[in-house]
Amino acid sequence: EPEVTQTPSHQVTQMGQEVILRCVPISNHLYFYWYRQILGQKVEFLVSFYNNEISEKSEIFDDQFSVERPDGSNFTLKIRSTKLEDSAMYFCASSSGGGYSREQYFGPGTRLTVT
Amino acid sequence: GENVEQHPSTLSVQEGDSAVIKCTYSDSASNYFPWYKQELGKGPQLIIDIRSNVGEKKDQRIAVTLNKTAKHFSLHITETQPEDSAVYFCAAFPYNQAGTALIFGKGTTLSVSS
């Protein structure tokens, strides 16, 4: 069964450093998302991406964040200068889009720890 | 914007009992309501969903009901098993197109004891 994959599973970085989180969405999906989950809290939307541009973004997704689809398979989230409060699980999701095809399938997540 | 409330935050049941988790939403434009199961250290897994044109959907031991008038929807798990123990999240999808954010509830930690 196709699934969303994410690398790395755990990333430790120092405050102020740049990090790139990587995702490979399900191959025939057209819409891509990043969500985050601070420990013990609910899953929060960051950004959605379609046709090589951002469709929607939340207030969390400020200028420190960017997304890119560098090739036909990868989808990345970059945090330019990490802060302590960026420590969270980051989930990538994808959906096929179109009509009623809104089911979003999540990857296993990357745990980001900022020290 | 859309706001999703979920209750209870924790639920403990004996194996074989039923479990019910309830969610309410605020935006009457929401028309798609998925439920996700998250096991420790893993990503949310879609287990069932319901669209606003139906009132109930069932998949083996799991069912979801939707009351559009009252703006609430519920997850029902019958004959619970220890492997049902996980955090369950409800979500609402407030727009009529793909590419839009899911708005999640805060989650319910279900513990099934044998």
Side-chain angles (χ1 to χ4, degrees), chain A residues 9-78:
Chain A
S9 56
H10 191 190
Q11 174 89 45
V12 181
T13 189
Q14 288 192 325
M15 196 166 53
Q17 295 296 305
E18 174 183 288
V19 294
I20 297 176
L21 309 183
R22 292 182 168 80
C23 168
V24 179
I26 294 172
S27 63
N28 62 343
H29 283 186
L30 302 175
Y31 293 83
F32 315 115
Y33 312 81
W34 284 101
Y35 290 82
R36 80 171 185 191
Q37 185 180 33
I38 294 171
L39 187 64
Q41 300 187 23
K42 66 178 174 180
V43 178
E44 299 175 291
F45 169 75
L46 293 178
V47 65
S48 60
F49 192 86
Y50 170 70
N51 199 26
N52 283 321
E53 59 183 27
I54 291 174
S55 300
E56 184 180 357
K57 60 182 181 180
S58 72
E59 292 176 351
I60 303 169
F61 193 87
D62 62 21
D63 293 343
Q64 294 298 313
F65 292 87
S66 62
V67 289
E68 189 179 28
R69 186 146 164 87
D71 53 44
S73 60
N74 290 283
F75 179 51
T76 62
L77 174 69
K78 182 193 292 186

Side-chain angles (χ1 to χ4, degrees), chain A residues 35 37 48 100 102-104, chain B residues 31 36 38 51 96 99 102:
Chain A
Y35 290 82
Q37 185 180 33
S48 60
Y100 278 105
R102 301 171 200 154
E103 295 89 348
Q104 294 185 21
Chain B
N31 53 15
Y36 286 84
Q38 186 178 28
R51 304 183 191 282
N96 194 27
L102 287 171

Side-chain angles (χ1 to χ4, degrees), chain B residues 43-58:
Chain B
Q45 179 191 5
L46 179 66
I47 56 171
I48 196 168
D49 56 20
I50 191 167
R51 304 183 191 282
S52 59
N53 57 344
V54 298
E56 184 173 0
K57 184 177 178 181
K58 191 173 182 180

Side-chain angles (χ1 to χ4, degrees), chain B residues 31-47:
Chain B
N31 53 15
Y32 170 65
F33 307 93
W35 285 88
Y36 286 84
K37 175 183 181 182
Q38 186 178 28
E39 296 175 324
L40 198 61
K42 297 185 179 180
Q45 179 191 5
L46 179 66
I47 56 171

